[in-house]
Amino acid sequence: MTTTKYPGAAEYVPSTDDLATLAAAADACHGCDLYRDATQTVFGEGAPHASTVLIGEQPGNEEDLDGHPFVGPAGRLLDRALDDIGVDRKTLYLTNAVKHFRFEQRGKRRIHQQPRRTEIVACAPWLTRELDLIAPELVICLGAIATQSVLGPKAKVTELRGRTVELEHFRVGATVHPSSVLRATDRTHAYAEFVDDLTHLFERA
């Protein structure tokens, strides 16, 4: 089985200290093939010098159509959880490890597909530059893709959730992606665990 070799985003990342300029440049990124079918690039948004950055997997269907991160069902659940623990989303910066929506077309529906490792690696220069410019104290990874994009492919949310590890420039915490709460058999319990994770992580912010 062959693995697609993508050129990566590095050649598209401009030398800039301005997040708006960085986001505009990402609109033209052809570092992997996901741009071909996605409606648009969905870049990170929020406070430009936020002390805490939240990283998800990739934009979903609603984010792809709307152009903003975390506006779909998982985003609304995240908003509810942040409200429950008294954190104002406007004080945060929210982004994704991958900036384009990967999906499978089934009739009129677009079914979410997990991004491949090659696509995560290809997109990594955007996330790296975002974190360089924002310079957060805490990075919270939501789900396995986000966690592995920051801590490496062997990192496991099950071993890290609710606690932080120290990197050179910031601390990294991990929990599940809010979409997993929506898929849980016992959603009430899953949501309570998610909120508990966020509570512990923000206490360390």
Side-chain angles (χ1 to χ4, degrees):
M1 181 177 179
T2 59
T3 300
T4 302
K5 176 70 174 178
Y6 294 124
E11 65 184 89
Y12 299 93
V13 178
S15 177
T16 180
D17 292 329
D18 181 66
L19 273 172
T21 301
L22 192 69
D27 288 339
C29 185
H30 295 175
C32 76
D33 287 342
L34 292 183
Y35 78 93
R36 298 180 186 278
D37 296 322
T39 304
Q40 58 194 313
T41 302
V42 181
F43 209 70
E45 291 182 353
H49 299 292
S51 62
T52 302
V53 171
L54 270 62
I55 303 173
E57 176 190 274
Q58 66 170 345
N61 184 66
E62 289 190 36
E63 288 82 3
D64 174 72
L65 297 174
D66 190 69
H68 301 284
F70 290 97
V71 295
R76 290 190 287 273
L77 185 140
L78 176 61
D79 285 345
R80 175 186 160 199
L82 292 172
D83 187 59
D84 283 349
I85 65 174
V87 173
D88 185 352
R89 174 168 166 158
K90 294 178 181 177
T91 66
L92 309 173
Y93 184 88
L94 280 70
T95 191
N96 284 295
V98 174
K99 312 303 187 193
H100 287 109
F101 180 34
R102 182 170 185 259
F103 62 92
E104 177 183 319
Q105 192 77 44
R106 296 183 190 171
K108 294 183 178 180
R109 297 181 63 203
R110 302 192 302 172
I111 307 301
H112 165 276
Q113 296 289 301
Q114 181 172 297
R116 303 179 182 93
R117 182 65 191 167
T118 49
E119 292 156 350
I120 298 166
V121 172
C123 205
W126 294 115
L127 179 61
T128 297
R129 192 63 185 141
E130 283 177 293
L131 294 176
D132 286 345
L133 294 184
I134 297 164
E137 297 175 11
L138 174 66
V139 172
I140 298 177
C141 299
L142 304 173
I145 297 298
T147 302
Q148 292 169 7
S149 72
V150 176
L151 295 176
K154 294 183 179 180
K156 296 181 179 180
V157 175
T158 52
E159 297 174 357
L160 296 167
R161 65 178 299 181
R163 63 186 185 88
T164 60
V165 295
E166 295 284 342
L167 296 189
E168 182 179 359
H169 298 296
F170 46 74
R171 297 187 308 283
V172 180
T175 184
V176 297
H177 194 281
S179 63
S180 72
V181 177
L182 296 173
R183 296 192 302 268
T185 302
D186 187 343
R187 190 181 297 183
T188 299
H189 179 69
Y191 178 75
E193 289 190 325
F194 180 59
V195 169
D196 187 58
D197 286 347
L198 291 178
T199 299
H200 284 95
L201 292 172
F202 276 100
E203 284 176 350
R204 297 172 173 86

